[in-house]
């Protein structure tokens, strides 16, 4: 189960990076991300509560301490950043 979770999470964040690259954005919210994942067939969205399946997945990853650095939660709102922007900031502040 853990390998399946890691594989699917990797595919989800890779697809979200591609989506942000194609739209020219560096950060998106959970509702927009879940809508995109539903279009790609990676994570089905709930029509009554948009973004809820992705929120549940992110909460599960947070509890397992496997949440990527590009994802943050502030005041109950999840934001997903492009993963390449995180790497650039880490290299600049590394020295």
């Amino acid at each position: 189960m853990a390998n399946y979770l890691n594989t699917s999470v990797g595919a989800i964040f890779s697809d979200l990076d591609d989506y942000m690259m194609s739209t020219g954005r560096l950060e998106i919210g959970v509702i927009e991300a879940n809508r995109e994942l539903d279009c790609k067939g990676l994570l089905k969205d709930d029509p009554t509560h948009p973004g809820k399946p992705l929120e549940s997945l992110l909460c599960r990853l947070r509890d397992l301490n496997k949440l990527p650095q590009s994802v943050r939660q502030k005041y109950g709102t999840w934001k997903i950043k492009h993963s390449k922007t995180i790497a650039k900031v880490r290299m600049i502040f590394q020295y």
Side-chain angles (χ1 to χ4, degrees):
M1 175 82 177
N3 289 336
Y4 173 74
L5 182 65
N6 290 338
T7 304
S8 63
V9 169
I12 285 172
F13 287 111
S14 175
D15 182 62
L16 290 177
D17 282 345
D18 293 341
Y19 171 72
M20 284 185 266
M21 196 70 138
S22 68
T23 58
R25 299 181 60 197
L26 296 177
E27 185 177 86
I28 58 174
V30 183
I31 295 174
E32 183 180 1
N34 209 158
R35 183 179 32 207
E36 173 62 23
L37 293 173
D38 191 19
C39 290
K40 297 286 184 169
L42 291 174
L43 185 64
K44 183 129 178 82
D45 199 8
D46 187 6
T48 57
H49 302 288
K52 189 68 174 171
L54 185 58
E55 282 183 12
S56 300
L57 176 66
L58 295 176
C59 286
R60 205 170 333 134
L61 288 173
R62 180 195 61 204
D63 293 343
L64 292 172
N65 201 19
K66 294 187 180 216
L67 194 64
Q69 286 183 330
S70 60
V71 181
R72 62 185 168 93
Q73 182 185 22
K74 188 172 184 181
Y75 304 118
T77 304
W78 291 93
K79 295 290 183 181
I80 303 169
K81 287 188 171 188
H82 193 280
S83 63
K84 301 293 186 206
T85 59
I86 300 299
K88 288 179 183 175
V89 171
R90 283 181 77 199
M91 288 183 71
I92 291 171
F93 293 120
Q94 184 177 4
Y95 300 104

